[in-house]
Amino acid sequence: MINKDTNEQIIRLKQHTPARIGVGRTGTRPLTKGYLSFRIDHAAAVDAVFGEVSEDLLRQFQLFTVETRFETKEHYLKRPDHGRILSEKACEVIKERCFPAPQVQVVVSDGLSANAIEENLPDVYPALMDSISANGLQTGTPFFVKGGRVGCMDAIGELLKPEAFVLLIGERPGLVCAHSLSAYMCYRPRKGTKESDRMVISNIHRGGTPPVEAAAHIGTIIKKMLEQQTSGVKLML
Amino acid sequence: MYKKATVLGHTYSFHHLKEVMAKANEERSGDQLAGISAENMKERMAAKSVLADLTLGEIRNSPLLPPEQDEVSRVIEESVSTPVYERIKNWSVAELREYILNDETTGSDLLQLSEGLTSEMIAAAAKIMSNLDLIQAASKIEVITHCQTKIGQKGVLSSRAQPNHPSDHLPGMRVSLYEALSYGIGDAVIGINPVIDTTDNIYALLVETKDIIDRFAIPTQNCVLSHVTTQMRAIEKGAPADLIFQSLAGTQMGNESFGISIPLLEEANSLIYDKGTATGPNRWYFETGQGSELSSEAHFGIDQVTLESRCYGLARKFNPFIVNTVVGFIGPEYLYDSKQVIRAGLEDHFMGKMHGLPMGVDVCYTNHMRADQNDMDTLSTLLSAAGVNFVIGVPMADDCMLNYQSLSFHDIATLRSIFHLSPAPEFEKWLERAGIMRNGALTKSAGDPTLFMNKV
């Protein structure tokens, strides 16, 4: 067991890793505080997966909502393929409300962490819009996709024919961070786009890649995509 | 029409063996995603009834994936012992189940029988077995393997220490390992999942793990779980590896998506015998898991239980030291909730043992599954009752690199205590010398990583 003599050494050991070491025990079981802290982090992760993005937040950034064919959260988790297909209504609304063939299409989706959108959108979204215009580029009409997977950008690409695409989507939550966001980028995403043509900046949150820094980086990548007319492994950064 | 069965007044017909095998599975999301699962419980029971009446000969004679098209099928087919098969080919799957569970049938009888079975026959038996059947059958089988040390004896529960770090930082890895050792964890292997899959990094991690083993004279083996080709390059350059690792799939196409083939595994096999640092005959570590073939679109409409069994058919060709299914890692589209993960864990453990493999389980889940740590308590308890060779431990169950949860070091110590199980014999003696265990229990000093603090 850990006693007072080694406490200081334990603190030093812990500096080397985010792993839960030096936690101690009672009998063979963990101490109460460490056990509950683990369960709290898991609770945050589960709530992020099963949570919803608030209407207020989406209104604040004037993002209207469309849905994929995900139907329910359970179906969304069981059928990733349905999170890549837009509902019929979504197709109609997108065609009606969006500026066609934009230079850069920006889309936001809850993905596997609604919490990632709640926590990061207020920082990352305005910075991303600034970064795109600072690079002299025009955005189309941004919107929110409920129940989206990364591949939904291909379905949207077919409808709107954008040159470049940015999808801000919640990542599968871990215990260390349940609100990490990814930005997926692609040049002309369309039906049949290869995964290797997509580019990603992941781990966007205040304790990871800072949102403002990520936004600036996305703007630079998009500009290069449009100049070189490609994305993924072929893009020279 | 191939076969039909009537359940509660409704007749169900099945067109081929593949359909019977898929529909006979207990419910799981992966079979639903593949569009091959039973429509409802009655159809599932009809499929189980049809399967129970099929003979082992009928199963062998209707290959789900012909050996001419697939090298995994060829390995399985070539491994069948003709005299054993001839003796049992007229048994029905129901008779196979009853033979396995008969109390006059011993574990060594099962291992002998196994030589005449294909992976598909073993999967078929699992499909008509209950969870407790799977536990009872597996608990009979003892598979002892030998790399640097021997594990798998009756009464032994071994463990992999998995001291991962999000940036492969060596001091970070070391302190997690010290924590593991202080709880008596690490007798199966000290195995790291690297973030950076380069020859230099794999070399460094192999050197570091071996150095700790040597410095503290720990009777265990090291392994770094990168792609096999990177390990091969590191070993060629002189890196010390007791074990060589690779993930397996149950079809040739699935293995191609992992970037491997049987000739490549054979090449790695010669290398680890030639240049590996172990002294014993078992030098491989394999991982598997239901659903990987579907995720790489290499499943050929075959259900994930049967494909998992085929992974074991491939694994046994290489006489591995340890094999484990990473049962809850793949996600809810393959195993949705704790009920499905628990079932799959018991199936995989049974099917592995029936192939004569030193079977372990990574008792685990991701955060988007309907499961939590209580479910891992349940599954690990069931697997201890089933005689699992080893499980995996990470600090407080939280793998800070792979972002999923497995078992805590505490959990493994607890399972040993409840079921009166020991670490591997040589390792237990070492724990006694290190002052961590005495008379089969942890001492007061156990659970303190500073025991190993002379160098971080």
Side-chain angles (χ1 to χ4, degrees), chain B residues 188-407:
Chain B
V189 61
I190 293 167
I192 299 183
N193 299 91
V195 181
I196 306 149
D197 193 359
T198 59
T199 309
D200 287 350
N201 188 52
I202 304 313
Y203 187 99
L205 289 167
L206 283 166
V207 167
E208 181 64 25
T209 45
K210 194 67 177 173
D211 180 54
I212 295 173
I213 288 174
D214 289 345
R215 195 172 347 132
F216 297 105
I218 311 169
T220 187
Q221 26 280 316
N222 73 333
C223 190
V224 177
L225 290 78
S226 70
H227 193 268
V228 68
T229 50
T230 325
Q231 293 166 79
M232 288 165 76
R233 283 193 293 272
I235 295 166
E236 292 280 11
K237 283 178 71 179
D242 294 327
L243 286 164
I244 192 161
F245 167 85
Q246 180 56 42
S247 295
L248 298 180
T251 64
Q252 180 175 344
M253 195 195 263
N255 284 320
E256 280 163 8
S257 82
F258 283 155
I260 61 163
S261 63
I262 292 172
L264 177 67
L265 294 176
E266 280 167 342
E267 198 186 318
N269 193 55
S270 322
L271 182 68
I272 195 69
Y273 280 94
D274 201 25
K275 299 202 165 155
T277 38
T279 48
N282 306 112
R283 309 277 182 95
W284 276 99
Y285 178 6
F286 292 122
E287 279 190 337
T288 65
Q290 291 189 23
S292 63
E293 300 82 4
L294 178 57
S295 81
S296 60
E297 290 174 25
H299 62 105
F300 300 91
I302 303 169
D303 70 275
Q304 64 189 42
V305 178
T306 306
L307 290 168
E308 180 70 10
S309 192
R310 288 168 52 92
C311 294
Y312 306 137
L314 172 57
R316 78 173 159 186
K317 176 182 170 71
F318 294 96
N319 300 312
F321 177 65
I322 42 176
V323 180
N324 69 264
T325 169
V326 193
V327 66
F329 188 71
I330 192 160
E333 61 267 46
Y334 305 96
L335 295 167
Y336 181 65
D337 57 13
S338 54
K339 185 181 167 80
Q340 296 183 9
V341 169
I342 288 168
R343 172 73 194 179
L346 297 175
E347 287 167 344
D348 295 356
H349 176 249
F350 162 77
M351 295 192 298
K353 284 276 166 81
M354 273 304 292
H355 280 83
L357 291 173
M359 197 66 197
V361 176
D362 187 359
V363 177
C364 63
Y365 62 109
T366 60
N367 293 317
H368 59 325
M369 284 173 69
R370 284 284 189 191
D372 65 22
Q373 202 64 34
N374 287 324
D375 300 311
M376 302 304 107
D377 289 1
T378 305
L379 178 55
S380 59
T381 303
L382 297 175
L383 286 165
S384 298
V388 69
N389 278 36
F390 74 105
V391 289
I392 293 181
V394 291
M396 279 300 283
D398 173 12
D399 190 304
C400 61
M401 190 284 271
L402 292 171
N403 272 325
Y404 78 125
Q405 287 86 249
S406 179
L407 296 183

Side-chain angles (χ1 to χ4, degrees), chain A residues 144-157:
Chain A
F144 176 73
V145 176
K146 194 172 175 184
R149 297 275 178 177
V150 172
C152 77
M153 68 162 71
D154 301 351
I156 299 167

Side-chain angles (χ1 to χ4, degrees), chain A residues 4-237:
Chain A
K4 289 201 181 92
D5 307 342
T6 57
N7 246 344
E8 262 181 45
Q9 279 183 299
I10 297 270
I11 293 166
R12 240 178 301 139
L13 286 187
K14 285 187 177 190
Q15 289 166 352
H16 295 290
T17 179
R20 292 166 204 255
I21 62 154
V23 292
R25 63 189 179 91
T26 173
T28 57
R29 305 305 298 151
L31 297 176
T32 311
K33 202 171 158 194
Y35 167 68
L36 292 179
S37 130
F38 164 79
R39 291 297 305 271
I40 287 167
D41 292 341
H42 182 243
V46 172
D47 286 353
V49 173
F50 290 91
E52 304 249 333
V53 175
S54 72
E55 287 296 322
D56 281 353
L57 181 74
L58 299 174
R59 253 197 308 275
Q60 189 189 333
F61 296 106
Q62 286 137 31
L63 297 169
F64 68 88
T65 300
V66 297
E67 295 191 355
T68 63
R69 292 202 190 151
F70 81 102
E71 296 169 21
T72 62
K73 212 43 130 179
E74 175 173 342
H75 192 79
Y76 174 76
L77 293 170
K78 286 181 172 174
R79 294 299 300 263
D81 51 329
H82 287 191
R84 297 180 200 119
I85 309 168
L86 298 165
S87 72
E88 271 178 42
K89 175 122 184 282
C91 295
E92 281 168 30
V93 172
I94 290 169
K95 274 192 277 192
E96 192 185 296
R97 297 185 63 167
C98 292
F99 182 80
Q103 206 171 16
V104 187
Q105 178 67 47
V106 176
V107 170
V108 178
S109 182
D110 45 6
L112 284 165
S113 174
N115 208 12
I117 304 301
E118 291 280 336
E119 293 282 328
N120 298 300
L121 201 66
D123 291 332
V124 81
Y125 186 81
L128 174 62
M129 289 309 188
D130 287 351
S131 159
I132 290 172
S133 62
N135 277 287
L137 306 173
Q138 305 287 323
T139 53
T141 318
F143 56 93
F144 176 73
V145 176
K146 194 172 175 184
R149 297 275 178 177
V150 172
C152 77
M153 68 162 71
D154 301 351
I156 299 167
E158 283 292 326
L159 286 178
L160 293 177
K161 312 282 183 207
E163 288 295 292
F165 202 110
V166 182
L167 174 65
L168 300 174
I169 188 165
E171 291 174 11
R172 174 163 75 85
L175 294 202
V176 175
C177 176
H179 53 262
S180 185
L181 188 76
S182 282
Y184 281 84
M185 294 155 281
C186 191
Y187 179 74
R188 291 189 183 173
R190 303 289 188 268
K191 194 174 163 223
T193 291
K194 285 196 222 91
E195 294 309 313
S196 59
D197 289 338
R198 300 190 216 280
M199 306 177 78
V200 64
I201 299 175
S202 58
N203 201 28
I204 303 171
H205 59 98
R206 278 176 208 161
T209 308
V212 174
E213 203 178 289
H217 194 34
I218 296 167
T220 314
I221 292 176
I222 295 291
K223 189 163 167 72
K224 295 213 162 146
M225 273 186 193
L226 292 170
E227 281 165 5
Q228 297 175 33
Q229 304 189 355
T230 187
S231 60
V233 284
K234 284 164 274 162
L235 189 75
M236 311 284 274
L237 285 170

Side-chain angles (χ1 to χ4, degrees), chain B residues 76-152:
Chain B
I76 294 168
E77 192 48 41
E78 284 160 12
S79 72
V80 175
S81 148
T82 307
V84 182
Y85 171 74
E86 285 299 321
R87 187 162 62 78
I88 58 172
K89 66 180 180 187
N90 294 323
W91 288 10
S92 66
V93 177
E95 285 169 314
L96 174 61
R97 172 183 173 277
E98 287 162 16
Y99 176 81
I100 291 170
L101 294 170
N102 189 312
D103 51 16
E104 285 175 14
T105 306
T106 64
S108 46
D109 292 336
L110 292 179
L111 290 175
Q112 213 176 12
L113 172 77
S114 167
E115 292 171 12
L117 297 175
T118 63
S119 302
E120 286 79 1
M121 295 173 200
I122 292 171
K127 289 163 199 276
I128 59 163
M129 289 168 78
S130 77
N131 285 6
L132 201 50
D133 288 353
L134 296 169
I135 293 170
Q136 164 75 333
S139 76
K140 294 184 183 187
I141 302 171
E142 181 182 52
V143 181
I144 299 171
T145 48
H146 180 192
C147 182
Q148 292 288 49
T149 63
K150 284 186 185 171
I151 67 165

